[in-house]
Amino acid sequence: MFVIPKTMRAVVYRGANDLRLETVPLPRIGPGELLVRVAVCGVCPTDIKKIQYGTVPPPRIFGHETAGTIVRAGARVRGFKVGERVALHHHVPCLECHACKHHAFAQCAQYKRTGITAGFEPAGGGYAEYVRVMPFVLPGVVRIPARNSFLEGAMLEPVNTVLKAVQRLALLRGDTVLVAGQGPIGLMFTRLLVVRGMRVVATDLLPTRLELAREFGAAAVYCPKSEVRSPKSGNTQHPPSLPPLDAQLSTIIKQLTTGHGLDAAVIAVPSDALVREAQALVRGGGRVLLFAHTRRGAETAVALATVCVDEKDLIGSYSADFRLQAEVARLVFSRKLDTRRLITHQFPLAQTAAAVELAAHPTAQSLKVAVVQSE
Ligand SMILES: [Zn+2]
Ligand SMILES: [Zn+2]
């Protein structure tokens, strides 16, 4: 029989770029809580930033894209039992406050609390062997079907954030959307938009990623030549007769939309130049959605008349929408969005620092990185 130990291994954040494998006490659970043995935890860019720049006080145990097995259930827990394989959500809104009434769940005070911990200030805890799941996030726990893996379960959270953003675009079937950046998140956008009947123009600097975008159903893929785009003008390697890149991209878009322009653009890379370019490429009344501009204090110039006169909305989206959980689970577990294609690298718990390092500096071959303890 499986015996739950008194201590466990966990990767503890001790300061900027300082992750240490330590032995910590097993979290104790209350009567309304679950103890979950972690199988998989995805490495998320928001955690990477906190770890690398040390933007939050240590110690903490990060990791919030978590899937695992329930090993203990408090006496008051209903609807879950020991042995079930589950995907977890660390943020669940109250559904009752002022923000929630406006469906601004990511701004809800309860939502901002992290309801999963492996010890210290709650921070997800997925980079540990066990996590404690608090009562207010139990409504976010999803069972993983027998045919699906823990890896797929761990992808529900990031897919939810993408589907929430897609909803905010308010598109009609057949619309044309630019997805700039085909990392794991950009590829999720590409696939979810295709599944919803949109035509996607996918761009990225890496041809390997564009191949996958095409397999995911992108109507057109385009690889900007970054060296031409760089601010170092007078680049003599390119003859002046070479058409500007925006022209190539806008030709693709003109052909695809018979002239009326993009209905929307998703900016899944933190490039300000791309935001301005996208604003030029969307039609009047279209939307440009920021998904990667998460750095506080960053500023840029925007032609405000494109917002006021051309009615091109500049919007953002952050975090998940609890109401979309069931649809997200259907999309992932049916493999309409085959997240297995996105997970390229798996690291054992002891090598979490290396996993974070790779996710922070992706290679041509790397997409989603996960810390895996059992499959
Ligand atoms: Zn995440
Ligand atoms: Zn609320």
Side-chain angles (χ1 to χ4, degrees):
M1 209 198 110
F2 172 71
V3 181
I4 301 170
K6 296 250 182 303
T7 60
M8 64 173 183
R9 293 182 311 148
V11 175
V12 183
Y13 156 80
R14 290 282 175 191
N17 263 324
D18 186 1
L19 291 177
R20 298 183 204 168
L21 186 68
E22 297 182 12
T23 299
V24 299
L26 210 77
R28 288 171 177 278
I29 61 161
E33 302 184 333
L34 298 175
L35 185 70
V36 169
R37 180 156 51 128
V38 178
V40 170
C41 185
V43 178
C44 173
T46 57
D47 281 349
I48 293 173
K49 278 174 201 147
K50 289 174 194 158
I51 292 165
Q52 291 199 317
Y53 302 117
T55 54
V56 290
R60 282 168 205 244
I61 301 171
F62 285 114
H64 60 263
E65 298 174 358
T66 307
T69 306
I70 299 173
V71 292
R72 204 172 262 164
R76 283 214 294 273
V77 171
R78 297 284 170 266
F80 293 104
K81 27 180 221 291
V82 169
E84 285 182 314
R85 299 161 71 241
V86 288
L88 306 178
H89 269 249
H90 60 316
H91 292 306
V92 172
C94 75
L95 302 176
E96 282 164 7
C97 72
H98 190 72
C100 283
K101 281 184 187 141
H102 290 81
H103 298 154
F105 300 126
Q107 313 306 326
C108 160
Q110 174 180 300
Y111 186 97
K112 288 180 183 188
R113 283 175 61 200
T114 297
I116 302 177
T117 183
F120 308 115
E121 179 67 29
Y127 304 144
E129 289 182 289
Y130 295 84
V131 289
R132 169 186 154 217
V133 184
M134 297 177 213
F136 70 94
V137 293
L138 285 191
V141 179
V142 176
R143 274 180 210 83
I144 302 172
R147 77 175 197 125
N148 294 105
S149 65
F150 285 119
L151 279 165
E152 290 176 290
M155 292 301 104
L156 293 189
E157 196 267 347
V159 171
N160 190 317
T161 66
V162 172
L163 189 65
K164 170 188 166 177
V166 167
Q167 300 277 89
R168 282 174 66 76
L169 292 174
L171 297 162
L172 300 175
R173 227 182 150 73
D175 278 356
T176 307
V177 184
L178 171 72
V179 180
Q182 298 294 309
I185 289 288
L187 284 162
M188 286 176 190
F189 268 106
T190 294
R191 185 61 191 156
L192 290 184
L193 286 163
V194 167
V195 166
R196 290 223 165 163
M198 310 306 158
R199 289 183 306 175
V200 172
V201 181
T203 66
D204 198 281
L205 297 173
L206 294 172
T208 44
R209 293 180 169 196
L210 292 178
E211 270 167 46
L212 194 47
R214 216 185 255 295
E215 282 178 52
F216 273 11
V221 300
Y222 176 67
C223 183
K225 315 275 182 298
S226 60
E227 61 271 29
V228 178
R229 213 181 255 266
S230 82
K232 283 179 247 145
S233 57
N235 188 338
T236 50
Q237 283 174 328
H238 296 276
S241 60
L242 199 79
L245 280 143
D246 300 13
Q248 284 185 33
L249 183 57
S250 56
T251 303
I252 293 171
I253 290 161
K254 267 192 199 119
Q255 283 168 353
L256 210 58
T257 62
T258 55
H260 43 66
L262 294 170
D263 297 289
V266 174
I267 312 301
V269 281
S271 157
D272 297 354
L274 267 174
V275 176
R276 285 186 283 273
E277 193 179 350
Q279 277 198 311
L281 290 169
V282 298
R283 60 165 169 77
R287 292 192 163 94
V288 176
L289 182 134
L290 308 186
F291 202 81
H293 286 78
T294 51
R295 204 159 60 85
R296 295 255 179 225
E299 291 178 7
T300 194
V302 167
L304 294 175
T306 61
V307 178
C308 180
V309 181
D310 304 333
E311 300 182 313
K312 297 179 181 183
D313 293 338
L314 184 59
I315 61 172
S317 189
Y318 189 70
S319 206
D321 180 340
F322 180 68
R323 298 167 303 169
L324 299 172
Q325 278 281 58
E327 190 179 351
V328 168
R330 262 198 310 278
L331 285 161
V332 171
F333 294 143
S334 70
R335 295 176 179 152
K336 267 193 174 171
L337 165 57
D338 192 349
T339 53
R340 297 173 301 175
R341 303 295 309 276
L342 300 174
I343 304 157
T344 54
H345 291 76
Q346 302 179 24
F347 288 82
L349 181 65
Q351 288 173 31
T352 297
V356 169
E357 183 60 27
L358 175 63
H361 303 100
T363 66
Q365 270 68 45
S366 71
L367 289 169
K368 189 76 186 176
V369 178
V371 172
V372 177
Q373 304 186 50
S374 81
E375 288 189 33

